[in-house]
Amino acid sequence: MIGDKKILFSGMQATGNLTLGNYLGALKNWVTLSDEYECFYSVVDLHSITVRQDPAELRKRARNLLTLYIAAGLDPEKNCLYYQSHVSGHAELAWILNCFTYMGELNRMTQFKDKAAKHTDNINAGLYTYPVLMAADILLYQADVVPVGKDQMQHLEICRDIAQRFNSVYGDVFTIPEGYLGKSGAKIMSLQDPEKKMSKSDENANASIYLMDDPDTIIRKFKRAVTDSDACVQYRDEQPGIKNLIDIYCACTNKTPDEAVKEFAGTGYGDFKLAVGESVVGVLKPVQERFDELSKDKTYIDKIIHDNAEKANYYALKTLRKVQKKVGFPERPRI
Ligand code: TRP
């Protein structure tokens, strides 16, 4: 707890262009949660270098992501928005937790297996211990809740296991975090293959809506979205393309699928797709405008980065010093 609020931690990687899926599935939720919890939202750049990055590009994307957090509606005075690499406690705690994690556990991580299969030329130890770093992120802030996608649930489980193991040896050092899966329906699928999740690494540019796509591009991509030959706007699994478009429309307009189906009864797919595209433009345009404005104000963003790194570091050190003492490291001289 900080004050009378529970603590929330989550992070996003600054790799690839963020998609509408990242926004509706994660960022938008983060904004909603930020009233109720004391939130730490990190740009997890330590995680990013588990696969090769272009340094200048990574730096740029990381700053853009942090700016986007604010543009999406996270108040940087209330939420701690910071770079993981600005708080050395993440790496230090990760090392300690590595010594409390079994290789057998890490071998079971499906994301590692997938990534190792994809990057066969660079299966590095960082990729392997990635879940331990993620555990350190969460435990460092004594987070109570962690909003994550389904694909990260296994990592959250291992985090809980590591924390419990550590606590059973040293007493109640870590808060055991709970996962928080966003509302269902927020899972946005590819516009070209509605059986697949919308992904920032999709090779087909028409499959994903990027957060920075201009209105014309957004409308064009929706016009090309894959549907079916039923010619009827219904919300059912047999029409995955239409179902996905309804989900997107509902997430953007806060309507229910039932309301959407009624609204579009008798409407052709062409007009329906246009309406969905327009609802997305309506949601993304203000975020884009705010992003452009913020990007111009270097002094302001620099101050946010400075102040929030300080705040994150303060809370991180509280936990880290306790852990270091527990495991038997000597008292630190004042340096
Ligand atoms: N691994 C997460 C992802 O790729 C990002 C992440 C890193 C994270 N550390 C975290 C998410 C801690 C939640 C909590 O999506």
Side-chain angles (χ1 to χ4, degrees):
M1 301 285 261
I2 296 180
D4 58 356
K5 283 186 170 172
K6 286 192 170 178
I7 301 168
L8 179 154
F9 186 96
S10 200
M12 231 185 252
Q13 291 203 46
T15 37
N17 286 319
L18 290 191
T19 68
L20 181 65
N22 298 117
Y23 179 73
L24 296 177
L27 262 181
K28 195 166 170 260
N29 251 328
W30 287 10
V31 177
T32 316
L33 293 165
S34 69
D35 280 335
E36 196 182 333
Y37 296 97
E38 184 72 38
C39 299
F40 293 83
Y41 292 123
S42 186
V43 172
V44 290
D45 46 1
L46 299 184
H47 280 93
S48 293
I49 64 163
T50 52
V51 296
R52 285 286 169 267
Q53 303 290 338
D54 176 78
E57 185 70 12
L58 177 61
R59 209 173 344 263
K60 195 176 104 199
R61 282 185 192 277
R63 189 169 172 111
N64 284 347
L65 181 56
L66 199 132
T67 308
L68 188 67
Y69 283 0
I70 307 170
L74 291 171
D75 179 349
E77 307 282 337
K78 286 204 211 129
N79 301 277
C80 191
L81 314 176
Y82 74 100
Y83 297 118
Q84 186 186 28
S85 63
H86 282 182
V87 180
S88 56
H90 287 261
E92 290 182 73
L93 181 60
W95 170 254
I96 295 173
L97 298 182
N98 264 320
C99 303
F100 290 84
T101 308
Y102 298 112
M103 290 180 63
E105 289 177 298
L106 293 175
N107 288 337
R108 286 200 292 274
M109 295 293 118
T110 54
Q111 188 173 4
F112 171 71
K113 289 189 225 169
D114 291 348
K115 284 200 183 176
K118 237 171 137 184
H119 303 275
T120 44
D121 54 333
N122 183 18
I123 306 178
N124 60 70
L127 197 61
Y128 185 60
T129 60
Y130 178 117
V132 184
L133 178 58
M134 183 162 155
D137 299 343
I138 297 165
L139 301 178
L140 200 50
Y141 298 93
Q142 305 288 353
D144 298 279
V145 285
V146 182
V148 283
K150 273 208 185 87
D151 58 328
Q152 296 297 317
M153 266 302 168
Q154 199 184 23
H155 290 163
L156 190 70
E157 274 312 312
I158 198 176
C159 169
R160 289 163 56 91
D161 291 344
I162 296 168
Q164 264 150 359
R165 184 171 305 139
F166 194 95
N167 283 357
S168 71
V169 181
Y170 300 106
D172 274 344
V173 177
F174 295 124
T175 303
I176 309 298
E178 300 283 341
Y180 178 95
L181 273 175
K183 291 181 291 209
S184 62
K187 188 172 179 200
I188 306 303
M189 312 305 279
S190 154
L191 296 185
Q192 292 295 314
D193 177 359
E195 310 280 351
K196 242 176 51 186
K197 192 172 144 184
M198 186 181 283
S199 156
K200 50 190 173 183
S201 53
D202 205 307
E203 280 134 36
N204 184 345
N206 284 325
S208 310
I209 301 291
Y210 296 109
L211 286 194
M212 294 301 155
D213 278 349
D214 60 56
D216 288 349
T217 308
I218 294 175
I219 300 291
R220 180 167 39 80
K221 287 181 180 176
F222 275 103
K223 280 190 182 156
R224 292 188 186 162
V226 168
T227 51
D228 50 60
S229 53
D230 291 8
C232 186
V233 179
Q234 294 177 99
Y235 191 72
R236 50 191 204 119
D237 291 339
E238 290 76 12
Q239 291 176 258
I242 293 294
K243 186 165 186 256
N244 185 38
L245 293 178
I246 295 177
D247 278 334
I248 294 173
Y249 182 75
C250 291
C252 289
T253 56
N254 296 321
K255 290 183 184 167
T256 64
D258 272 354
E259 287 167 343
V261 167
K262 274 200 197 109
E263 186 178 341
F264 294 106
T267 309
Y269 283 175
D271 288 343
F272 170 58
K273 287 175 174 183
L274 186 64
V276 179
E278 280 168 353
S279 76
V280 171
V281 171
V283 165
L284 292 190
K285 211 162 156 234
V287 177
Q288 293 172 351
E289 284 168 0
R290 181 110 181 88
F291 177 87
D292 288 340
E293 228 171 82
L294 285 164
S295 302
K296 284 185 218 137
D297 198 345
K298 184 171 181 313
T299 322
Y300 173 69
I301 298 290
D302 284 347
K303 183 171 178 339
I304 298 295
I305 290 172
H306 172 276
D307 293 355
N308 279 324
E310 209 163 47
K311 178 174 169 186
N313 207 54
Y314 169 81
Y315 288 106
L317 273 182
K318 278 219 259 192
T319 304
L320 184 67
R321 294 292 177 253
K322 196 167 165 187
V323 170
Q324 287 169 328
K325 199 168 162 192
K326 290 283 185 189
V327 298
F329 293 167
E331 204 178 316
R332 304 171 73 85
R334 290 203 171 273
I335 33 175

